[in-house]
């Protein structure tokens, strides 16, 4: 129950400079009303335990938001209500002595109820119920003592309810401030937990807690998406917001990019942003090869954005491996941008996983071409790439390059002469393919 003394009482009690009242009769009525209020309030102070019992019982019956708190610790709620009533009813009699204490109590109640998750509407309703109960007891006590004095309470009714509103405002402000602090703390804990999972530094004992905090199944199936700008491209102005839209859910039958109804969990690193993707299925279930590809198709990324999706892993504890796989897929992205699903680009992943070996292979296989004029060299490499992409068909390669199939065959024969490689020998074909990937991804 909030403190119940407002400016007119303050004038009568000398808490600030008095101003002349326009009518002597009104001043006398106010003074008489205060005396009646004081007499009734002293009776309430003497019976605070009974009043507290009644209010706690009324809260239990009429306010569902308080029911769980009362069931959990009725004694704690009783002490809170009693503490509030003692300070606020006391302020009816001694406003200066009790005002600050009543304000502190209201702020404390707002903070503690925010921490306990009691809805703000329920807390405000409880304060108004307390105000109504105290006001009714004041009226009842005055009527019992002298019914004629009840009419004098009309002079203080507005002040009583204005003060109820004042304390509701104090409670609401304290509640919202505490809620913001709690929200920031929860978000910070989530960020730290997501970072630990993706870094692979989370303790096994903490994985269950992480699952509960993040709302994800501990044994679910996951993949990680890595996103970065093209090298030399414009950097994101807000590193906390990745430069693409990742839908919360894909169409039925195409898998999920996050837990149903929840947004993907993002973590921003120094060079890339990472999203945890929750997939369908779990440990032991067959992997749907089209699920990650469907997620890649659903991404809405601006031009120049590079995105890599790693292979699926089982369980939150394996997210550190999933992140490393996503980083490998990101390194396999073309510099101009695009999305790479690791499972569909494993040869490229082999090359970028060991750049030194990849560069050495490219120099060994393609090095003889570097002695040619750059334009001549580029024509041979372009023809070789088109021929491999066409599964060894000179006809289809020629169509892509807008030249005759015989021209393609002549260029391929020249490549074999310059490098000493044979395109029909399987071992040479593998090395040539990997060397081209290394030259494309790692540069000359």
């Amino acid at each position: 129950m909030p403190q119940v003394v407002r400016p007119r009482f303050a004038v009568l009690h000398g808490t600030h400079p008095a101003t002349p009242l326009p009518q002597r009769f009104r001043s006398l009525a106010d003074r008489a009303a205060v005396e009646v209020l004081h007499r009734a309030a002293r009776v309430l102070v003497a019976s605070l335990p009974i009043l507290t019992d009644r209010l706690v019982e009324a809260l239990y019956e009429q306010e569902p938001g308080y029911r769980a708190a009362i069931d959990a610790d009725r004694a704690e709620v009783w002490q809170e209500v009693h503490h509030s009533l003692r300070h606020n009813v006391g302020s009816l009699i001694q406003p200066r002595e009790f005002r600050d204490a009543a304000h502190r109590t209201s702020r404390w109640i707002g903070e503690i109820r925010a921490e306990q998750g009691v809805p703000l509407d329920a807390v405000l309703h409880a304060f108004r119920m307390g105000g109504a109960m105290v006001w009714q007891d004041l009226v009842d006590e005055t009527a019992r003592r002298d019914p004629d004095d009840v009419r004098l309470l009309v002079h203080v009714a507005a002040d009583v309810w204005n003060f109820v509103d004042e304390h509701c405002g104090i409670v609401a402000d304290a509640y919202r401030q505490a809620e913001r602090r709690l929200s920031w703390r929860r978000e910070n804990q989530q960020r730290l937990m997501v970072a630990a999972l993706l870094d692979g530094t989370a303790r096994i004992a903490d994985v269950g807690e992480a699952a509960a905090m993040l709302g994800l199944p501990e044994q679910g199936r996951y993949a990680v998406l890595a996103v970065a700008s093209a090298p030399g491209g414009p950097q994101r102005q807000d590193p906390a917001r990745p430069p693409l839209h990742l839908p919360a859910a894909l169409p039925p039958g195409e898998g999920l990019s996050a837990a149903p109804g929840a947004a993907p969990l993002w973590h921003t690193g120094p060079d890339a942003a990472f999203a945890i993707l929750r997939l369908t299925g779990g440990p032991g279930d067959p992997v749907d090869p089209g699920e990650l590809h469907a997620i890649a198709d659903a991404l809405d990324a601006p031009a120049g954005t590079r995105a890599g999706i790693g292979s699926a892993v089982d369980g939150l504890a394996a997210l550190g491996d999933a992140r490393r796989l996503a980083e490998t897929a990101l390194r396999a992205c073309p510099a101009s941008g695009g999305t790479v699903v690791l499972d569909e680009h494993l040869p490229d992943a082999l090359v970028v996983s060991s750049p030194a070996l990849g560069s050495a292979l490219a120099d060994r296989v393609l090095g003889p071409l570097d002695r040619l004029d750059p334009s001549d060299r580029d024509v041979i490499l372009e023809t070789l790439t088109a021929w491999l992409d066409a599964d060894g068909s000179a006809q289809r390669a020629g169509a892509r390059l807008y030249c005759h199939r015989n021209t393609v065959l002549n260029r391929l024969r020249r490549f074999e002469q310059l490098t000493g490689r044979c395109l029909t020998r399987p071992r040479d074909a593998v090395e040539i393919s990997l060397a081209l990937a290394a030259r494309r991804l790692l540069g000359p």
Side-chain angles (χ1 to χ4, degrees):
M1 153 63 196
Q3 178 182 348
V4 191
V5 179
R6 291 300 287 172
R8 190 165 62 224
F9 291 175
V11 172
L12 296 174
H13 286 274
T15 55
H16 57 68
T19 55
L21 294 175
Q23 296 182 12
R24 179 177 178 81
F25 175 78
R26 182 174 178 82
S27 177
L28 292 175
D30 287 343
R31 188 178 299 278
V34 170
E35 292 173 356
V36 170
L37 181 66
H38 283 185
R39 284 197 299 268
R42 291 189 187 97
V43 176
L44 263 62
V45 170
S47 59
L48 275 183
I50 298 174
L51 178 59
T52 303
D53 288 339
R54 289 169 49 213
L55 182 51
V56 171
E57 191 60 35
L59 288 173
Y60 190 84
E61 292 177 357
Q62 301 176 34
E63 181 44 69
Y66 261 74
R67 200 164 294 151
I70 295 173
D71 282 334
D73 194 341
R74 191 182 191 92
E76 189 270 338
V77 176
W78 193 96
Q79 288 294 339
E80 172 195 303
V81 172
H82 185 267
H83 194 65
S84 180
L85 288 172
R86 179 165 58 85
H87 284 95
N88 291 300
V89 174
S91 68
L92 294 172
I93 306 167
Q94 297 176 295
R96 282 200 297 181
E97 288 78 357
F98 282 91
R99 179 182 176 85
D100 290 342
H103 282 193
R104 286 194 300 271
T105 300
S106 295
R107 283 192 292 270
W108 174 77
I109 291 173
E111 292 173 355
I112 198 69
R113 289 303 171 218
E115 293 174 0
Q116 293 172 343
V118 177
L120 177 57
D121 287 346
V123 181
L124 297 178
H125 184 210
F127 262 72
R128 294 189 177 100
M129 286 176 62
M133 187 172 289
V134 168
W135 175 251
Q136 188 59 52
D137 281 8
L138 291 171
V139 173
D140 291 346
E141 174 58 28
T142 301
R144 184 192 65 79
R145 190 180 190 92
D146 187 346
D148 290 341
D149 286 344
V150 172
R151 61 182 176 80
L152 291 173
L153 291 181
V154 172
H155 294 275
V156 296
D159 298 293
V160 170
W161 289 107
N162 285 340
F163 223 91
V164 170
D165 288 341
E166 177 185 342
H167 275 260
C168 283
I170 292 172
V171 168
D173 183 62
Y175 185 102
R176 294 188 181 102
Q177 289 183 18
E179 198 172 40
R180 285 193 292 270
R181 289 195 302 270
L182 291 170
S183 177
W184 178 87
R185 191 181 308 160
R186 283 192 298 268
E187 291 173 359
N188 192 50
Q189 289 174 341
Q190 286 185 350
R191 283 193 295 270
L192 293 175
M193 186 62 73
V194 169
L197 289 171
L198 291 173
D199 289 342
T201 57
R203 300 181 305 173
I204 296 298
D206 294 335
V207 174
E209 179 185 351
M213 179 186 299
L214 303 176
L216 297 173
E218 184 176 351
Q219 299 303 324
R221 177 170 289 160
Y222 300 95
V224 170
L225 165 70
V227 181
S229 301
Q235 299 299 311
R236 300 190 302 277
Q237 296 300 314
D238 182 0
R241 299 191 60 174
L244 84 169
H245 170 65
L246 182 64
L250 298 175
E254 295 183 351
L256 298 176
S257 63
L265 295 173
W266 286 95
H267 171 71
T268 302
D271 301 316
F274 301 90
I276 297 175
L277 308 176
R278 179 180 168 187
L279 308 177
T280 56
D285 295 337
V287 177
D288 179 2
E291 187 171 15
L292 295 176
H293 186 71
I295 293 174
D297 289 342
L299 296 180
D300 180 16
T305 300
R306 300 161 54 241
I309 302 177
S311 303
V313 299
D314 291 330
L316 284 177
L319 282 179
D321 295 333
R323 172 180 174 160
R324 287 187 284 275
L325 293 171
E327 288 176 325
T328 300
L330 185 62
R331 290 196 296 272
C333 277
S336 58
T339 301
V340 166
V341 177
L342 184 64
D343 290 350
E344 299 175 357
H345 295 79
L346 292 178
D348 291 352
L350 288 174
V351 170
V352 298
S353 294
S354 182
L357 291 178
S359 296
L361 178 63
D363 290 342
R364 179 180 177 183
V365 175
L366 304 177
L369 299 181
D370 293 336
R371 294 191 292 268
L372 301 174
D373 183 86
S375 61
D376 194 13
R377 177 199 62 200
D378 292 344
V379 167
I380 293 177
L381 290 178
E382 182 183 23
T383 302
L384 182 60
T385 300
W387 181 77
L388 290 172
D389 289 343
D391 297 326
S393 170
Q395 186 74 33
R396 292 200 300 272
R400 291 186 182 184
L401 298 172
Y402 302 101
C403 65
H404 195 275
R405 63 181 296 275
N406 290 338
T407 303
V408 172
L409 293 174
N410 289 334
R411 293 172 181 173
L412 295 178
R413 194 174 299 112
R414 188 180 179 203
F415 168 81
E416 291 179 322
Q417 294 170 349
L418 290 170
T419 62
R421 303 283 169 166
C422 179
L423 292 172
T424 59
R425 187 182 301 135
R427 180 186 181 94
D428 284 358
V430 170
E431 290 185 353
I432 292 168
S433 178
L434 291 175
L436 287 172
R439 183 65 63 92
R440 184 181 75 252
L441 295 170
L442 303 176

